[in-house]
Amino acid sequence: MSRTWVVIPMYNESTVVVDVIRGLLPTFPNVVCIDDGSTDECAQAARDAGAVVVQHPINLGQGAALQTGIEYALQDPGMDSIVTFDADGQHRVEDAREMVERLSSGEADIVLGSRFLDDRTKMGPVKRLVLKTAALQSKLATGMDLTDAHNGLRAISRSVAEDIHLTQNRMAHASELVNQLAVLEHRWVEHPVEIIYTDYSKAKGQSLLNSVNILAELFLR
């Protein structure tokens, strides 16, 4: 029987993660949250909401949390796909469901979310420029013609998950993942998704400063 696990990295997300989990469970009954050394009560909140929780004793960064979640899901022999989903409420469950359907149809081995394939996502011109520049840099470095190289919503087949080994943290893990996909030559497609920017998500990592950090990590590494 096929099964999808949703992997949610979280760090001090107690005010939002419960609603995110409750929104996912009717469509995706298997949710694992990776508590990356949080100092708030998000681990217990996630358990109470119905998710499995794996905890890092200290904060190791989003890349490490994703890798832990992927390795946890791989322990399930019935798992055939993984969805990576942010804890701050910026992703839509409907987008994730459509991406898993494309994966299940055999169209690709990994489906990558892109906020630039339709006009639903609202963002400022500077952030748009930064993300477009990041996508161009990724294309030049890997040959993968992505429109959105830093989107956290992904649907990943088991065969791809077995090949992913993230070692970078912060935003660098997103570039590392693209680099690994380029080398592995799995079949990939992009899928239009909406990113819902809220005051909370901007404060947690979608700010203009974070966009500048993306460029710094791309060009100074």
Side-chain angles (χ1 to χ4, degrees), residues 102-141:
R102 293 184 71 176
L103 204 65
S104 299
S105 73
E107 180 181 357
D109 302 313
I110 181 167
V111 182
L112 303 165
S114 173
R115 74 202 89 184
F116 294 113
L117 294 181
D118 62 24
D119 59 0
R120 287 179 293 166
T121 299
K122 310 303 179 188
M123 72 183 80
V126 174
K127 188 173 186 65
R128 180 179 296 273
L129 176 62
V130 168
L131 292 172
K132 289 286 190 182
T133 302
L136 176 60
Q137 191 277 341
S138 179
K139 179 181 179 181
L140 294 174

Side-chain angles (χ1 to χ4, degrees), residues 25-101:
L25 287 175
T27 304
F28 298 105
N30 302 293
V31 177
V32 57
C33 294
I34 312 305
D35 175 23
D36 191 29
S38 298
T39 56
D40 69 356
E41 302 301 321
C42 64
Q44 189 59 51
R47 287 192 188 93
D48 292 344
V52 174
V53 176
V54 178
Q55 291 183 270
H56 288 170
I58 60 173
N59 181 243
L60 298 174
Q62 191 177 39
L66 279 174
Q67 187 62 45
T68 296
I70 290 170
E71 291 175 2
Y72 178 88
L74 284 169
Q75 301 307 307
D76 179 356
M79 182 277 291
D80 62 359
S81 61
I82 292 171
V83 170
T84 62
F85 203 92
D86 285 0
D88 59 8
Q90 68 171 305
H91 294 153
R92 295 177 69 250
V93 177
E94 182 66 14
D95 288 336
R97 182 187 62 76
E98 292 173 355
M99 293 165 72
V100 171
E101 287 177 352

